[in-house]
Amino acid sequence: MRLWKWVLPGLAAGLAAAWLGYPRLAWVALTQPIRFSHSVHARQDVACTACHANAPGGAFNGFPSIEVCAGCHPDPTGGRSEDEKEADKLVSEYVKKHKDVPWLSMVREPDHVYFPHAPHLSGKPAGCASCHPDMAREDYPELKRNRISGYLSRTMPMARCRACHQSSRAADDCVVCHR
Ligand code: HEC
Ligand code: HEC
Ligand code: HEC
Ligand code: HEC
Ligand code: HEC
């Protein structure tokens, strides 16, 4: 009887700690090699596809090569603001060394999923923002990876793919997305 007086509160406290601590422990925060702002660059009137080109065959090229950045950032600014220092880091560590920035993805799907951009850009889903947030307004979004599932903060869940496929009458068999 006396035991329960201690065991039950202990158990409850343990459960509470796990419940509150789990979300924090499960996600690892990641940092991009360069702190890059979409909204700053959207103001320069650069098209999304200047940096994210469509590769032949419909696969998405992912991230821009360093030549794209070098076109506008050939030399250091020598400025002292945080933004200027970051742009200068880009020049000294990547542009001058002709090295691509090893950007981290926050949306990549697991390997068993087949997702081509091409069919999604021609037809019904209207524009990038039907699946991605409005990037032109984004600055330095939080980037996280789940330790247990390996999923990234913005990996699109299967339910969302399928909901759209069903409502737009696109193919929805397992083998369409898993091959
Ligand atoms: C069309 C020209 C253009 C291209 C292409 C371009 N930039 Fe910029 N970038 C600018 C301008 C102009 C500014 C300064 C904007 C301001 O101060 O308002 C800037 C600012 C920056 C900054 C500091 C502000 C911030 O936090 O984003 C970084 C870092 C940067 N650029 C990185 C890059 C990288 C990385 C690439 C290639 C993926 C790139 N830029 C491609 C024109 C460009
Ligand atoms: C000047 C080059 C540049 C332009 C213009 C640009 N992007 Fe990006 N984009 C990047 C870079 C560099 C990254 C990786 C760093 C980051 O996520 O901030 C990125 C990341 C992304 C991602 C996240 C991908 C991932 O795996 O995390 C999406 C989605 C995206 N861009 C969409 C867009 C859209 C939509 C537009 C047009 C509104 C656009 N981008 C314009 C350079 C650019
Ligand atoms: C139908 C939904 C959908 C639309 C529309 C869409 N995307 Fe994506 N995008 C995704 C998914 C899902 C991924 C992850 C793909 C993967 O991991 O195979 C992705 C990945 C990306 C990436 C990261 C590539 C990488 O290597 O990690 C960029 C950049 C990107 N998209 C930009 C764009 C741009 C720019 C547009 C508009 C021209 C666009 N997307 C339209 C769903 C979409
Ligand atoms: C916003 C709506 C929307 C979302 C979200 C979406 N899709 Fe689609 N998808 C479509 C439409 C519509 C088509 C058919 C396009 C056509 O036939 O021209 C399509 C076609 C496809 C195709 C080609 C099918 C074929 O017959 O060749 C694949 C593969 C695919 N989607 C995978 C995915 C995956 C994986 C996801 C989630 C990561 C996803 N889609 C999310 C609307 C969407
Ligand atoms: C329209 C695209 C699409 C279709 C259709 C689809 N899936 Fe998926 N599936 C995904 C995506 C994207 C993921 C990864 C994200 C996630 O786990 O939610 C996934 C994940 C999975 C996983 C792994 C879940 C995990 O936790 O690791 C299994 C198992 C799976 N799907 C089975 C199926 C089966 C069985 C069908 C047919 C009844 C099916 N899928 C149809 C897109 C699709």
Side-chain angles (χ1 to χ4, degrees):
M1 205 56 202
R2 209 136 25 94
L3 188 66
W4 282 111
K5 220 165 117 190
W6 297 107
V7 169
L8 280 180
L11 206 63
L15 280 174
W19 181 258
L20 296 173
Y22 172 77
R24 231 173 293 173
L25 288 175
W27 292 92
V28 201
L30 308 171
T31 319
Q32 293 286 8
I34 292 283
R35 188 176 149 279
F36 174 84
S37 158
H38 273 85
S39 77
V40 163
H41 289 87
R43 271 184 256 126
Q44 309 303 319
D45 256 344
V46 203
C48 309
T49 45
C51 287
H52 303 293
N54 229 346
F60 222 59
N61 249 350
F63 299 115
S65 77
I66 194 62
E67 272 67 42
V68 178
C69 315
C72 294
H73 297 283
D75 296 305
T77 65
R80 306 189 53 185
S81 74
E82 209 183 322
D83 283 357
E84 288 164 323
K85 281 197 212 148
E86 199 64 14
D88 291 356
K89 179 175 161 196
L90 173 77
V91 172
S92 62
E93 289 185 21
Y94 300 100
V95 173
K96 295 293 186 200
K97 295 182 185 166
H98 303 281
K99 219 171 89 186
D100 284 342
V101 182
W103 300 110
L104 301 171
S105 175
M106 56 183 153
V107 296
R108 208 158 283 166
E109 296 290 343
D111 288 343
H112 56 78
V113 173
Y114 171 65
F115 178 85
H117 268 88
H120 293 98
L121 299 179
S122 52
K124 281 224 200 82
C128 318
S130 51
C131 296
H132 299 290
D134 184 357
M135 297 302 287
R137 291 165 182 272
E138 286 222 328
D139 294 305
Y140 328 120
E142 208 184 348
L143 187 57
K144 291 183 295 186
R145 188 185 65 240
N146 192 292
R147 277 186 224 276
I148 296 153
S149 63
Y151 285 1
L152 302 156
S153 30
R154 289 184 181 166
T155 302
M156 186 180 284
M158 173 160 85
R160 187 165 160 205
C161 313
R162 299 195 72 188
C164 181
H165 276 218
Q166 282 159 14
S167 68
S168 51
R169 301 191 190 288
D172 188 44
D173 301 321
C174 314
V175 290
V176 170
C177 305
H178 301 287
R179 21 173 109 168

